[in-house]
Amino acid sequence: MARANLNRVKRSNEVAEMSLREDQLKRYARQLVIDEIGDEGQEKLLGARVLVVGAGGLGSPLLYYLAAAGVGTIGIADGDFVDISNLQRQIIHGTDDIGRPKVESAADKIRKLNPDVNVELHGERITADKAVDIISRYDVAADASDNFATKFLMNDAAYLAGKPLSIAGISGFDGQALTVVPGRGPCYRCLFRNPPPPGSVPVSLEAGVVGTSPGIIGAVQANEVIKIIIEKGELLCGRFLVFDGLRTRFDIIEVERDPSCPLCGDNPGIKIPGDSGVRDE
Ligand SMILES: [Zn+2]
């Protein structure tokens, strides 16, 4: 039986004795041959724990690609139920799933795609009091939510937990993404100090969204998470990605940590996630 390189010393301090099974060597063959991944990267992926908040438009491609790549444990947090109006963009759910909890619908698809993945369900909305604790159980987090309150909550909680976070948003034909790595570049609040007042910025419900926008940006998030896990490449850390789908343009805006940021600045005031922002209503 063909065996991958064994006994590699993994990140943190545990010594891993992982070996890829025959079926895994086949399943992941196309990424095992990539220099940046290889056996070592695949073992990191299989050993990784990723939390995805939001099993909707962004979460659909994000969850699918993480599962397909062999991320060993994926936590899904979403308190919502599948509605027929979701299906135009939330492609991890199907018509048969209407009315089901999104976390259960998404978990079914992940298990069907790749039984290597251990799926952990968080079927309630992430709240300020639980966010740091939940994120602390994972290596990487991704915000794939559809509202600013959750984005700020995730930004703060991941920072306070010391975990890297991919954060993204979409509207119409447009999308944005940023990767926040504590101690290495700006956080979401360095760019947008506080959530906009409720009602001032339309959410996808009112503004509308073409299904490809979260498809493209959710795939970017999956790519960021994979790079964080394999510790290769250049992240969207300090680089705010702006996608213009109507003109098919990707622009990068260089951004720096703001010393006056209430979260990651020199005199931080935020101790509770989402604190100076909009609380959960
Ligand atoms: Zn900051």
Side-chain angles (χ1 to χ4, degrees):
M1 177 180 161
R3 288 169 72 90
N5 293 329
L6 306 181
N7 304 329
R8 291 185 189 278
V9 178
K10 290 198 69 182
R11 276 180 302 175
S12 63
N13 38 20
E14 85 235 45
V15 177
E17 285 201 30
M18 288 179 70
S19 62
L20 298 176
R21 302 186 310 264
E22 195 84 37
D23 64 299
Q24 291 176 322
L25 291 170
K26 289 179 183 164
R27 178 183 289 269
Y28 306 118
R30 294 299 182 277
Q31 63 193 42
L32 287 171
V33 297
I34 299 173
D35 287 344
E36 288 79 7
I37 299 183
D39 301 332
E40 188 177 353
Q42 190 61 55
E43 286 165 11
K44 287 178 179 173
L45 288 166
L46 287 165
R49 296 175 51 81
V50 178
L51 175 69
V52 173
V53 174
L58 290 164
S60 289
L62 175 53
L63 289 164
Y64 262 139
Y65 280 120
L66 294 180
V71 168
T73 300
I74 300 177
I76 315 172
D78 199 315
D80 211 358
F81 295 81
V82 180
D83 185 82
I84 191 170
S85 65
N86 300 150
L87 303 182
Q88 158 262 6
R89 63 198 181 284
Q90 302 184 13
I91 57 168
I92 205 163
H93 311 298
T95 305
D96 291 347
D97 299 311
I98 291 170
R100 297 182 68 201
K102 286 186 179 176
V103 288
E104 290 181 16
S105 165
D108 285 352
K109 311 309 183 317
I110 289 173
R111 294 187 186 111
K112 208 179 270 187
L113 173 63
N114 189 351
D116 282 347
V117 181
N118 170 40
V119 190
E120 296 178 350
L121 306 187
H122 304 279
E124 289 169 16
R125 193 171 170 196
I126 296 265
T127 51
D129 56 326
K130 297 183 196 137
V132 175
D133 177 51
I134 292 176
I135 292 173
S136 297
R137 296 179 227 158
Y138 294 87
D139 303 314
V140 189
D143 168 77
S145 72
D146 63 355
N147 66 86
F148 287 104
T150 303
K151 291 183 196 310
F152 280 84
L153 181 68
M154 286 295 291
N155 176 69
D156 298 354
Y159 182 84
L160 293 171
K163 305 289 179 161
L165 170 75
S166 165
I167 189 162
I170 40 117
S171 178
F173 280 88
D174 302 330
Q176 307 86 35
L178 178 76
T179 298
V180 179
V181 182
R184 252 192 69 193
C187 79
Y188 196 64
R189 281 190 193 270
C190 291
L191 280 72
F192 310 103
R193 186 52 49 90
N194 287 304
S200 65
V201 177
V203 294
S204 68
L205 191 64
E206 300 116 44
V209 58
V210 63
T212 46
S213 300
I216 290 161
I217 300 298
V220 166
Q221 289 192 278
N223 191 52
E224 290 292 291
V225 171
I226 288 169
K227 287 187 297 176
I228 290 169
I229 295 168
I230 65 172
E231 298 172 284
K232 291 283 158 56
E234 192 182 348
L235 299 169
L236 289 173
C237 180
R239 303 189 308 135
F240 188 57
L241 176 76
V242 179
F243 173 63
D244 177 341
L246 276 179
R247 290 163 196 80
T248 315
R249 278 180 64 106
F250 287 95
D251 288 307
I252 294 279
I253 301 170
E254 308 271 343
V255 283
E256 291 183 353
R257 188 182 74 96
D258 179 356
S260 66
C261 174
L263 181 71
C264 75
D266 297 339
N267 295 296
I270 293 175
K271 303 279 184 255
I272 300 166
D275 205 19
S276 68
V278 174
R279 291 278 200 158
D280 280 355
E281 303 86 327

